[in-house]
Amino acid sequence: MFSFRQKVGLLVGAGVLVGLGALFMYLLRAHTYLGDDPAACVNCHIMTPYYASWSRSSHGRIDDKSNGATCNDCHVPHTSVLSKYAFKAMDGMKHVAYFVTKSERQAIMAEDGSAQVIMENCIRCHAQLNQEFVKTGRINYMKAKVGEGKACWDCHRNVPHGGMNSLSATPAAESQVPLPPSPVPEWLQNMRN
């Protein structure tokens, strides 16, 4: 079948590919997306104003965990762990594709799949408010889309991102966003000098 040299060559080639793939994933900080830390979202610079506006909103009070909501609390499904990570992976790859092809909008808008998840999470967290206190009832995103009611953000436009219309909507706040440290080791950075 394969000679000894061919086996060694295939093994070395596979090792190089796996090693380069692991390095690529590390440099992309892929491991940070496995958790729920909102700071992982600013790995991508286009998310900086969204992180900044969220961190100063009523949902972003991370010093008081009872009032704070992470990005994942709103932007991924909570029906199962599998659905959560499958959605994160698909949505993340979609963001990467938009960025690589330079087709992302200046102000990111939720597409139907994301909007549906976001609204379901609004309802999940605020069910008692919707159904007992205000009695607005339960309406899903698809009904709102066809005009049979309103989406949560139709009335609550500035929650939780402060009315993001463009990337420059929060210029003062952006300077205070905790940008992630460089994943490139210091010894490698020093080689450029």
Side-chain angles (χ1 to χ4, degrees):
M1 190 151 108
F2 289 110
S3 69
F4 178 74
R5 277 188 161 179
Q6 289 173 325
K7 289 178 184 176
V8 169
L10 286 172
L11 188 60
V12 168
V16 167
L17 285 176
V18 168
L20 287 174
L23 176 64
F24 182 70
M25 296 306 281
Y26 174 73
L27 292 175
L28 286 177
R29 296 179 182 94
H31 60 283
T32 63
Y33 296 107
L34 297 176
D36 285 333
D37 184 4
C41 294
V42 294
N43 285 342
C44 182
H45 74 278
I46 198 167
M47 297 306 292
T48 302
Y50 298 92
Y51 179 91
S53 61
W54 162 82
S55 68
R56 285 153 183 80
S57 75
S58 60
H59 284 73
R61 295 186 180 133
I62 14 185
D63 55 331
D64 178 7
K65 293 291 184 190
S66 63
N67 288 333
T70 67
C71 304
N72 287 333
D73 288 334
C74 299
H75 291 276
V76 298
H78 292 274
T79 52
S80 71
V81 173
L82 180 64
S83 66
K84 174 183 178 176
Y85 285 105
F87 187 87
K88 280 179 83 165
M90 294 298 292
D91 209 43
M93 292 311 296
K94 188 170 31 173
H95 282 274
V96 168
Y98 287 156
F99 182 73
V100 169
T101 60
K102 298 184 187 305
S103 58
E104 78 273 5
R105 298 172 58 162
Q106 182 183 13
I108 298 172
M109 302 296 289
E111 294 178 356
D112 284 342
S114 292
Q116 187 168 355
V117 166
I118 294 166
M119 189 150 162
E120 286 171 5
N121 285 327
C122 292
I123 293 166
R124 179 180 57 85
C125 286
H126 300 287
Q128 184 179 16
L129 175 67
N130 285 355
Q131 295 170 1
E132 291 177 30
F133 300 136
V134 183
K135 298 195 188 312
T136 55
R138 180 182 170 101
I139 182 170
N140 65 30
Y141 175 71
M142 295 320 246
K143 285 183 180 177
K145 188 173 177 178
V146 295
E148 294 180 22
K150 292 187 177 200
C152 300
W153 48 86
D154 288 337
C155 297
H156 303 280
R157 173 79 43 206
N158 294 332
V159 177
H161 289 291
M164 295 296 303
N165 297 325
S166 72
L167 289 177
S168 60
T170 57
E174 287 179 34
S175 62
Q176 298 172 16
V177 171
L179 296 177
S182 173
V184 179
E186 191 174 320
W187 63 269
L188 187 58
Q189 288 179 9
N190 293 336
M191 290 181 73
R192 291 189 302 190
N193 299 334

